[in-house]
Amino acid sequence: MAAILRNSCCLARCLLQKQTTLPALTQSHRLYSNYVVDNTGKSEYSVPEWKQPVNETLKSQKARLLYQSRKRGMLENGLLLSSFAAKYLRTFSEEQLKVYDVLINQPSNDWDIYYWAVGNKPTPQEYDSEVMDLLKKHAKNEDMENRSRQPDIEQYM
């Protein structure tokens, strides 16, 4: 708590003095773990490259994919992928699970996944698969299902 107050006081003092640099914030690498400041003073956010887990059991993989389908950080994909996982995850083969894993984890932008699924953008060849076709069909919602909330967890089991 003392460190937060100290940084807040430093920030307020710098703002009052109209300083352009904030020494307490730019020198601390612990505030934002993916915020990089190089020697030239330029800064950028880096997205770590996704690596597919190895030696993961089928049960663990399904549990992880279930969680990742439900917790996207974007409401549209959370609703779309959670209802998709509730409908198909149980019946997917190991190969289909691998393809789904790559599909929801490799693209760095969730909006791309959403636009591919609803047909606003063409799907890149590396993601165009049977699983993507199922997701596109699911996104059309031809049965007019109510998808205004995520399915209950029991529907996945």
Side-chain angles (χ1 to χ4, degrees), residues 2-3 8 18 26 29 37 40 47 52 54 60 67 74 82-83 88 94 125-126 130-131 140 147 152 155:
S8 298
K18 296 184 181 176
T26 56
H29 68 286
V37 178
T40 63
V47 177
Q52 195 162 19
V54 292
S60 295
Y67 177 82
M74 185 180 127
S82 66
S83 59
Y88 293 106
E94 285 187 50
Q125 189 174 6
E126 65 262 27
E130 174 191 359
V131 173
K140 287 180 183 176
R147 296 184 186 157
D152 295 328
Q155 290 186 349

Side-chain angles (χ1 to χ4, degrees), residues 45-114:
Y45 290 96
S46 62
V47 177
E49 186 178 323
W50 175 78
K51 294 178 183 153
Q52 195 162 19
V54 292
N55 299 329
E56 187 176 36
T57 66
L58 196 59
K59 184 178 180 181
S60 295
Q61 184 182 25
K62 285 184 178 185
R64 179 176 53 80
L65 291 173
L66 167 62
Y67 177 82
Q68 291 174 336
S69 297
R70 292 178 63 86
K71 307 294 182 189
R72 298 305 300 178
M74 185 180 127
L75 178 62
E76 292 85 348
N77 269 1
L79 294 171
L80 179 64
L81 294 176
S82 66
S83 59
F84 179 79
K87 190 171 185 177
Y88 293 106
L89 203 59
R90 276 184 308 236
T91 61
F92 273 178
S93 67
E94 285 187 50
E95 185 59 35
Q96 288 172 316
L97 287 171
K98 286 179 185 176
V99 171
Y100 183 63
D101 200 355
V102 168
L103 174 65
I104 68 171
N105 286 305
Q106 201 166 28
S108 62
N109 188 344
D110 257 16
W111 280 110
D112 287 339
I113 299 169
Y114 180 76

Side-chain angles (χ1 to χ4, degrees), residues 113-149:
I113 299 169
Y114 180 76
Y115 288 142
W116 300 334
V118 298
N120 285 359
K121 285 184 177 180
T123 306
Q125 189 174 6
E126 65 262 27
Y127 301 112
D128 204 9
S129 64
E130 174 191 359
V131 173
M132 188 64 193
D133 291 341
L134 283 172
L135 182 59
K136 287 177 181 181
K137 184 178 180 195
H138 182 75
K140 287 180 183 176
N141 197 11
E142 292 169 345
D143 297 333
M144 302 298 287
E145 299 170 2
N146 181 2
R147 296 184 186 157
S148 59
R149 58 183 290 277

